[in-house]
Amino acid sequence: EAAVTQSPRNKVAVTGGKVTLSCNQTNNHNNMYWYRQDTGHGLRLIHYSYGAGSTEKGDIPDGYKASRPSQENFSLILELATPSQTSVYFCASGDGGQNTLYFGAGTRLSVL
Amino acid sequence: AQSVTQPDARVTVSEGASLQLRCKYSYSGTPYLFWYVQYPRQGLQLLLKYYSGDPVVQGVNGFEAEFIKSNSSFHLRKASVHWSDSAVYFCAVSALDSNYQLIWGSGTKLIIKP
């Protein structure tokens, strides 16, 4: 069964530290996405990718970097984590065009 | 610019009763329309989608939605809810104008009363 796997599932980080969230998909989809979910905001797009080597800015990219080293893997990097980045982060892969998305289970990040 | 409005942040329904969750979008053409469901501590899963054709689309677990172009709406319905339907439901749209990026509603939390 095709799947999107995120790691870690939970992370506690210190302010100013570096955090890397990882995502792996076995769907063989070209498109991958990073969202954050906060109460009252629904899903907000941080970065996305159309394939290996490509990253694009979403709606809220400030403070985040992304890396897509291969078709399967897409990472989200917080170089200097801040408490405002405390959130639940979701990775998704998409089949392009009409863009049905398949989501991972999420990473709960707390920045103290 | 496209937008999606889910006017009800929370909806409470008795088990066995019918359900309608509202979704309205803003877009001049006909977008692709989606409903996703998020169970507690999980990622989102596709419930159903509309691209073209019959405006009433069937999804999983007895859910259906109707596209009404004149009203720019895509409401989700279920004839008889079960306690396991408790979740957050998201409406989303995509269109060529936004390079098919999904635009999300803010979600509706469905609470089922026993």
Side-chain angles (χ1 to χ4, degrees):
Chain A
E1 182 178 317
V4 178
T5 305
Q6 293 183 232
S7 62
R9 290 296 313 276
N10 295 280
K11 173 75 176 178
V12 178
V14 296
T15 298
K18 182 177 181 179
V19 177
T20 300
L21 307 183
S22 300
C23 179
N24 175 275
Q25 56 112 350
T26 59
N27 300 324
N28 198 31
H29 289 157
N30 287 332
N31 300 347
M32 294 187 75
Y33 304 83
W34 277 106
Y35 289 93
R36 64 178 283 175
Q37 184 177 38
D38 304 285
T39 304
H41 287 280
L43 286 170
R44 292 185 288 175
L45 181 63
I46 306 170
H47 284 288
Y48 59 100
S49 168
Y50 290 125
S54 123
T55 61
E56 306 288 338
K57 294 181 179 179
D59 299 321
I60 54 163
D62 292 346
Y64 302 94
K65 289 172 56 179
S67 173
R68 182 87 182 272
S70 65
Q71 177 83 340
E72 298 79 17
N73 295 296
F74 190 39
S75 298
L76 185 69
I77 303 150
L78 291 66
E79 295 277 5
L80 294 169
T82 68
S84 65
Q85 294 175 312
T86 293
S87 187
V88 181
Y89 292 85
F90 288 98
C91 177
S93 71
D95 55 8
Q98 295 149 353
N99 224 7
T100 299
L101 296 189
Y102 299 83
F103 284 81
T107 295
R108 188 170 296 270
L109 174 65
S110 295
V111 182
L112 305 178
Chain B
Q2 302 163 47
S3 65
V4 179
T5 301
Q6 293 180 250
D8 305 308
R10 293 164 65 100
V11 169
T12 301
V13 178
S14 296
E15 190 167 17
S18 64
L19 167 71
Q20 177 171 277
L21 301 182
R22 296 183 291 165
C23 173
K24 296 200 73 171
Y25 64 89
S26 172
Y27 181 64
S28 58
T30 300
Y32 299 132
L33 298 159
F34 305 80
W35 276 99
Y36 283 80
V37 61
Q38 184 181 28
Y39 299 105
R41 299 269 175 175
Q42 295 185 27
L44 283 71
Q45 305 169 37
L46 182 68
L47 260 184
L48 50 78
K49 58 189 177 185
Y50 172 80
Y51 296 152
S52 65
D54 188 339
V56 179
V57 291
Q58 304 297 323
V60 299
N61 297 333
F63 285 94
E64 67 174 29
E66 183 174 7
F67 167 56
I68 302 179
K69 186 171 184 176
S70 60
N71 195 36
S72 297
S73 68
F74 190 57
H75 301 332
L76 182 70
R77 303 188 297 238
K78 187 171 184 179
S80 176
V81 297
H82 186 263
W83 66 266
S84 59
D85 293 324
S86 298
V88 181
Y89 293 79
F90 290 92
C91 181
V93 303
S94 72
L96 177 62
D97 290 13
S98 61
N99 203 26
Y100 296 110
Q101 295 295 347
L102 281 168
I103 309 299
W104 296 91
S106 54
T108 297
K109 183 172 185 177
L110 176 62
I111 300 164
I112 307 297
K113 290 191 303 185

Short mmCIF file of all heavy atoms in Angstrom, two decimals, chain B residues 13-52:
data_model
loop_
_atom_site.label_atom_id
_atom_site.label_comp_id
_atom_site.label_asym_id
_atom_site.label_seq_id
_atom_site.Cartn_x
_atom_site.Cartn_y
_atom_site.Cartn_z
N VAL B 13 -24.23 16.57 16.13
CA VAL B 13 -25.34 15.80 15.57
C VAL B 13 -25.54 14.55 16.42
O VAL B 13 -24.56 13.95 16.88
CB VAL B 13 -25.03 15.41 14.10
CG1 VAL B 13 -26.14 14.57 13.52
CG2 VAL B 13 -24.80 16.65 13.26
N SER B 14 -26.77 14.15 16.58
CA SER B 14 -27.05 12.90 17.30
C SER B 14 -26.78 11.70 16.42
O SER B 14 -27.00 11.75 15.19
CB SER B 14 -28.51 12.87 17.75
OG SER B 14 -28.77 13.90 18.66
N GLU B 15 -26.31 10.63 17.03
CA GLU B 15 -26.04 9.42 16.25
C GLU B 15 -27.31 8.94 15.57
O GLU B 15 -28.39 8.92 16.17
CB GLU B 15 -25.49 8.32 17.16
CG GLU B 15 -24.96 7.11 16.40
CD GLU B 15 -24.15 6.17 17.27
OE1 GLU B 15 -24.27 6.25 18.50
OE2 GLU B 15 -23.39 5.35 16.71
N GLY B 16 -27.19 8.61 14.29
CA GLY B 16 -28.33 8.17 13.50
C GLY B 16 -29.03 9.29 12.76
O GLY B 16 -29.82 9.03 11.85
N ALA B 17 -28.73 10.51 13.11
CA ALA B 17 -29.34 11.66 12.42
C ALA B 17 -28.60 11.95 11.13
O ALA B 17 -27.50 11.45 10.89
CB ALA B 17 -29.32 12.89 13.33
N SER B 18 -29.23 12.77 10.30
CA SER B 18 -28.58 13.16 9.05
C SER B 18 -27.63 14.33 9.30
O SER B 18 -27.70 15.02 10.31
CB SER B 18 -29.63 13.54 8.00
OG SER B 18 -30.36 14.67 8.45
N LEU B 19 -26.75 14.53 8.32
CA LEU B 19 -25.69 15.52 8.48
C LEU B 19 -25.53 16.33 7.21
O LEU B 19 -25.62 15.79 6.10
CB LEU B 19 -24.38 14.78 8.76
CG LEU B 19 -23.08 15.60 8.65
CD1 LEU B 19 -22.98 16.58 9.82
CD2 LEU B 19 -21.87 14.70 8.59
N GLN B 20 -25.28 17.62 7.37
CA GLN B 20 -24.80 18.44 6.26
C GLN B 20 -23.72 19.36 6.78
O GLN B 20 -23.93 20.10 7.74
CB GLN B 20 -25.92 19.27 5.63
CG GLN B 20 -25.37 20.17 4.52
CD GLN B 20 -26.42 20.87 3.70
OE1 GLN B 20 -26.99 20.31 2.76
NE2 GLN B 20 -26.70 22.13 4.04
N LEU B 21 -22.55 19.31 6.15
CA LEU B 21 -21.47 20.24 6.45
C LEU B 21 -21.32 21.16 5.25
O LEU B 21 -21.21 20.71 4.11
CB LEU B 21 -20.17 19.49 6.71
CG LEU B 21 -20.18 18.49 7.86
CD1 LEU B 21 -18.81 17.86 8.03
CD2 LEU B 21 -20.64 19.14 9.15
N ARG B 22 -21.27 22.45 5.53
CA ARG B 22 -21.32 23.42 4.45
C ARG B 22 -19.94 23.85 3.96
O ARG B 22 -19.00 23.99 4.75
CB ARG B 22 -22.11 24.66 4.91
CG ARG B 22 -23.57 24.36 5.21
CD ARG B 22 -24.32 25.62 5.58
NE ARG B 22 -23.90 26.16 6.87
CZ ARG B 22 -24.19 27.38 7.29
NH1 ARG B 22 -24.87 28.21 6.51
NH2 ARG B 22 -23.81 27.78 8.48
N CYS B 23 -19.88 24.08 2.67
CA CYS B 23 -18.64 24.57 2.04
C CYS B 23 -19.03 25.48 0.89
O CYS B 23 -19.80 25.08 0.00
CB CYS B 23 -17.80 23.41 1.52
SG CYS B 23 -16.35 23.92 0.56
N LYS B 24 -18.48 26.68 0.88
CA LYS B 24 -18.67 27.57 -0.25
C LYS B 24 -17.29 28.03 -0.72
O LYS B 24 -16.37 28.22 0.06
CB LYS B 24 -19.53 28.77 0.13
CG LYS B 24 -20.95 28.38 0.50
CD LYS B 24 -21.91 29.56 0.40
CE LYS B 24 -22.18 29.92 -1.05
NZ LYS B 24 -23.26 30.91 -1.20
N TYR B 25 -17.19 28.20 -2.02
CA TYR B 25 -15.90 28.60 -2.58
C TYR B 25 -16.08 29.85 -3.41
O TYR B 25 -17.20 30.20 -3.84
CB TYR B 25 -15.30 27.47 -3.42
CG TYR B 25 -16.11 27.13 -4.64
CD1 TYR B 25 -15.90 27.79 -5.85
CD2 TYR B 25 -17.13 26.18 -4.58
CE1 TYR B 25 -16.67 27.51 -6.96
CE2 TYR B 25 -17.90 25.90 -5.68
CZ TYR B 25 -17.68 26.55 -6.86
OH TYR B 25 -18.44 26.28 -7.96
N SER B 26 -14.96 30.50 -3.65
CA SER B 26 -14.97 31.69 -4.50
C SER B 26 -14.03 31.41 -5.66
O SER B 26 -12.82 31.26 -5.46
CB SER B 26 -14.49 32.91 -3.72
OG SER B 26 -14.32 34.02 -4.58
N TYR B 27 -14.61 31.30 -6.85
CA TYR B 27 -13.83 31.06 -8.07
C TYR B 27 -14.77 31.25 -9.23
O TYR B 27 -15.90 30.78 -9.21
CB TYR B 27 -13.23 29.66 -8.07
CG TYR B 27 -12.41 29.35 -9.29
CD1 TYR B 27 -11.24 30.07 -9.56
CD2 TYR B 27 -12.79 28.37 -10.20
CE1 TYR B 27 -10.48 29.80 -10.70
CE2 TYR B 27 -12.04 28.09 -11.33
CZ TYR B 27 -10.89 28.81 -11.57
OH TYR B 27 -10.14 28.55 -12.68
N SER B 28 -14.29 31.91 -10.27
CA SER B 28 -15.18 32.26 -11.38
C SER B 28 -15.50 31.09 -12.29
O SER B 28 -16.53 31.06 -12.93
CB SER B 28 -14.58 33.41 -12.19
OG SER B 28 -13.31 33.02 -12.68
N GLY B 29 -14.59 30.12 -12.35
CA GLY B 29 -14.83 28.97 -13.21
C GLY B 29 -15.33 27.78 -12.40
O GLY B 29 -15.93 27.94 -11.34
N THR B 30 -15.09 26.60 -12.90
CA THR B 30 -15.44 25.38 -12.18
C THR B 30 -14.17 24.75 -11.66
O THR B 30 -13.34 24.26 -12.44
CB THR B 30 -16.18 24.39 -13.09
OG1 THR B 30 -17.37 24.99 -13.57
CG2 THR B 30 -16.51 23.12 -12.31
N PRO B 31 -13.97 24.77 -10.38
CA PRO B 31 -12.75 24.21 -9.82
C PRO B 31 -12.89 22.71 -9.59
O PRO B 31 -13.96 22.14 -9.76
CB PRO B 31 -12.63 24.94 -8.48
CG PRO B 31 -14.05 25.15 -8.06
CD PRO B 31 -14.84 25.36 -9.33
N TYR B 32 -11.80 22.09 -9.22
CA TYR B 32 -11.86 20.74 -8.68
C TYR B 32 -12.16 20.88 -7.19
O TYR B 32 -11.61 21.74 -6.51
CB TYR B 32 -10.53 20.02 -8.89
CG TYR B 32 -10.16 19.86 -10.33
CD1 TYR B 32 -8.88 20.18 -10.78
CD2 TYR B 32 -11.07 19.39 -11.26
CE1 TYR B 32 -8.52 20.03 -12.10
CE2 TYR B 32 -10.72 19.24 -12.59
CZ TYR B 32 -9.44 19.56 -13.01
OH TYR B 32 -9.09 19.42 -14.32
N LEU B 33 -13.01 20.02 -6.68
CA LEU B 33 -13.52 20.15 -5.31
C LEU B 33 -13.28 18.88 -4.53
O LEU B 33 -13.44 17.77 -5.08
CB LEU B 33 -15.02 20.47 -5.35
CG LEU B 33 -15.37 21.79 -6.04
CD1 LEU B 33 -16.83 21.79 -6.49
CD2 LEU B 33 -15.10 22.96 -5.11
N PHE B 34 -12.92 19.04 -3.29
CA PHE B 34 -12.53 17.90 -2.45
C PHE B 34 -13.12 18.04 -1.05
O PHE B 34 -13.28 19.15 -0.53
CB PHE B 34 -11.00 17.83 -2.29
CG PHE B 34 -10.22 17.80 -3.57
CD1 PHE B 34 -9.97 18.97 -4.27
CD2 PHE B 34 -9.73 16.61 -4.06
CE1 PHE B 34 -9.23 18.95 -5.45
CE2 PHE B 34 -8.99 16.57 -5.24
CZ PHE B 34 -8.74 17.75 -5.94
N TRP B 35 -13.39 16.91 -0.44
CA TRP B 35 -13.60 16.82 1.00
C TRP B 35 -12.61 15.81 1.56
O TRP B 35 -12.49 14.68 1.06
CB TRP B 35 -15.02 16.36 1.35
CG TRP B 35 -16.03 17.46 1.36
CD1 TRP B 35 -16.91 17.78 0.37
CD2 TRP B 35 -16.28 18.37 2.43
NE1 TRP B 35 -17.69 18.85 0.76
CE2 TRP B 35 -17.32 19.23 2.02
CE3 TRP B 35 -15.74 18.55 3.71
CZ2 TRP B 35 -17.84 20.25 2.83
CZ3 TRP B 35 -16.24 19.56 4.51
CH2 TRP B 35 -17.28 20.39 4.08
N TYR B 36 -11.90 16.26 2.62
CA TYR B 36 -10.98 15.41 3.35
C TYR B 36 -11.48 15.28 4.79
O TYR B 36 -12.12 16.19 5.32
CB TYR B 36 -9.58 16.01 3.37
CG TYR B 36 -8.79 15.86 2.09
CD1 TYR B 36 -9.02 16.71 1.02
CD2 TYR B 36 -7.82 14.87 1.97
CE1 TYR B 36 -8.28 16.58 -0.16
CE2 TYR B 36 -7.08 14.74 0.80
CZ TYR B 36 -7.32 15.60 -0.25
OH TYR B 36 -6.60 15.46 -1.41
N VAL B 37 -11.11 14.18 5.43
CA VAL B 37 -11.45 13.96 6.83
C VAL B 37 -10.17 13.73 7.62
O VAL B 37 -9.22 13.12 7.12
CB VAL B 37 -12.42 12.77 6.99
CG1 VAL B 37 -11.82 11.47 6.49
CG2 VAL B 37 -12.85 12.62 8.45
N GLN B 38 -10.13 14.27 8.83
CA GLN B 38 -9.00 14.06 9.72
C GLN B 38 -9.50 13.49 11.05
O GLN B 38 -10.16 14.19 11.81
CB GLN B 38 -8.25 15.38 9.97
CG GLN B 38 -7.00 15.21 10.81
CD GLN B 38 -6.27 16.51 11.06
OE1 GLN B 38 -6.86 17.58 11.08
NE2 GLN B 38 -4.95 16.43 11.23
N TYR B 39 -9.18 12.23 11.30
CA TYR B 39 -9.47 11.61 12.58
C TYR B 39 -8.42 12.02 13.60
O TYR B 39 -7.31 12.41 13.23
CB TYR B 39 -9.56 10.09 12.44
CG TYR B 39 -10.65 9.66 11.50
CD1 TYR B 39 -10.35 9.20 10.21
CD2 TYR B 39 -11.98 9.74 11.87
CE1 TYR B 39 -11.36 8.83 9.33
CE2 TYR B 39 -12.99 9.38 10.99
CZ TYR B 39 -12.67 8.93 9.73
OH TYR B 39 -13.67 8.58 8.86
N PRO B 40 -8.73 11.94 14.87
CA PRO B 40 -7.80 12.41 15.91
C PRO B 40 -6.40 11.82 15.76
O PRO B 40 -6.24 10.61 15.55
CB PRO B 40 -8.47 11.97 17.20
CG PRO B 40 -9.93 11.95 16.88
CD PRO B 40 -10.01 11.48 15.45
N ARG B 41 -5.42 12.69 15.85
CA ARG B 41 -4.01 12.30 15.81
C ARG B 41 -3.61 11.62 14.50
O ARG B 41 -2.67 10.81 14.49
CB ARG B 41 -3.68 11.37 16.99
CG ARG B 41 -3.91 12.02 18.34
CD ARG B 41 -2.68 12.69 18.81
NE ARG B 41 -2.90 13.43 20.05
CZ ARG B 41 -1.92 14.02 20.72
NH1 ARG B 41 -0.68 13.95 20.29
NH2 ARG B 41 -2.17 14.69 21.82
N GLN B 42 -4.32 11.92 13.42
CA GLN B 42 -3.97 11.34 12.13
C GLN B 42 -3.86 12.42 11.07
O GLN B 42 -4.26 13.56 11.28
CB GLN B 42 -5.04 10.32 11.70
CG GLN B 42 -5.14 9.10 12.59
CD GLN B 42 -6.12 8.09 12.04
OE1 GLN B 42 -6.36 8.01 10.83
NE2 GLN B 42 -6.70 7.29 12.93
N GLY B 43 -3.30 12.04 9.93
CA GLY B 43 -3.29 12.94 8.79
C GLY B 43 -4.64 12.96 8.10
O GLY B 43 -5.56 12.24 8.48
N LEU B 44 -4.76 13.79 7.10
CA LEU B 44 -6.01 13.91 6.36
C LEU B 44 -6.14 12.78 5.35
O LEU B 44 -5.15 12.32 4.78
CB LEU B 44 -6.08 15.25 5.62
CG LEU B 44 -6.39 16.49 6.45
CD1 LEU B 44 -5.23 16.87 7.34
CD2 LEU B 44 -6.76 17.66 5.53
N GLN B 45 -7.40 12.37 5.12
CA GLN B 45 -7.68 11.33 4.13
C GLN B 45 -8.78 11.84 3.20
O GLN B 45 -9.72 12.49 3.65
CB GLN B 45 -8.20 10.05 4.82
CG GLN B 45 -7.30 9.49 5.90
CD GLN B 45 -8.01 8.41 6.68
OE1 GLN B 45 -8.78 7.62 6.13
NE2 GLN B 45 -7.73 8.32 7.97
N LEU B 46 -8.66 11.50 1.94
CA LEU B 46 -9.66 11.92 0.97
C LEU B 46 -10.97 11.19 1.19
O LEU B 46 -11.01 9.97 1.30
CB LEU B 46 -9.15 11.64 -0.44
CG LEU B 46 -10.08 12.08 -1.57
CD1 LEU B 46 -10.15 13.60 -1.63
CD2 LEU B 46 -9.59 11.51 -2.90
N LEU B 47 -12.06 11.95 1.27
CA LEU B 47 -13.42 11.39 1.37
C LEU B 47 -14.05 11.25 -0.01
O LEU B 47 -14.62 10.22 -0.34
CB LEU B 47 -14.31 12.30 2.20
CG LEU B 47 -14.59 11.99 3.65
CD1 LEU B 47 -15.59 13.01 4.18
CD2 LEU B 47 -15.10 10.57 3.84
N LEU B 48 -13.97 12.33 -0.77
CA LEU B 48 -14.53 12.34 -2.11
C LEU B 48 -14.01 13.54 -2.87
O LEU B 48 -13.44 14.45 -2.28
CB LEU B 48 -16.07 12.34 -2.06
CG LEU B 48 -16.76 13.37 -1.17
CD1 LEU B 48 -16.80 14.74 -1.80
CD2 LEU B 48 -18.18 12.92 -0.83
N LYS B 49 -14.24 13.51 -4.19
CA LYS B 49 -13.77 14.61 -5.03
C LYS B 49 -14.70 14.77 -6.22
O LYS B 49 -15.35 13.80 -6.66
CB LYS B 49 -12.34 14.35 -5.50
CG LYS B 49 -12.17 13.05 -6.28
CD LYS B 49 -10.69 12.75 -6.52
CE LYS B 49 -10.53 11.41 -7.24
NZ LYS B 49 -9.09 11.04 -7.38
N TYR B 50 -14.75 15.99 -6.72
CA TYR B 50 -15.55 16.29 -7.90
C TYR B 50 -14.67 16.97 -8.94
O TYR B 50 -13.99 17.96 -8.65
CB TYR B 50 -16.72 17.22 -7.56
CG TYR B 50 -17.45 17.70 -8.79
CD1 TYR B 50 -18.39 16.88 -9.42
CD2 TYR B 50 -17.18 18.95 -9.34
CE1 TYR B 50 -19.04 17.31 -10.56
CE2 TYR B 50 -17.83 19.37 -10.48
CZ TYR B 50 -18.75 18.55 -11.09
OH TYR B 50 -19.39 18.97 -12.23
N TYR B 51 -14.71 16.42 -10.15
CA TYR B 51 -13.99 17.05 -11.25
C TYR B 51 -14.96 17.55 -12.32
O TYR B 51 -14.81 18.65 -12.84
CB TYR B 51 -13.02 16.06 -11.90
CG TYR B 51 -11.90 15.59 -10.99
CD1 TYR B 51 -11.32 14.35 -11.17
CD2 TYR B 51 -11.43 16.39 -9.95
CE1 TYR B 51 -10.30 13.91 -10.34
CE2 TYR B 51 -10.42 15.96 -9.13
CZ TYR B 51 -9.85 14.72 -9.32
OH TYR B 51 -8.83 14.29 -8.50
N SER B 52 -15.92 16.73 -12.66
CA SER B 52 -16.89 17.08 -13.71
C SER B 52 -17.99 16.04 -13.72
O SER B 52 -17.92 15.04 -12.99
CB SER B 52 -16.20 17.14 -15.08
OG SER B 52 -15.74 15.85 -15.45
#
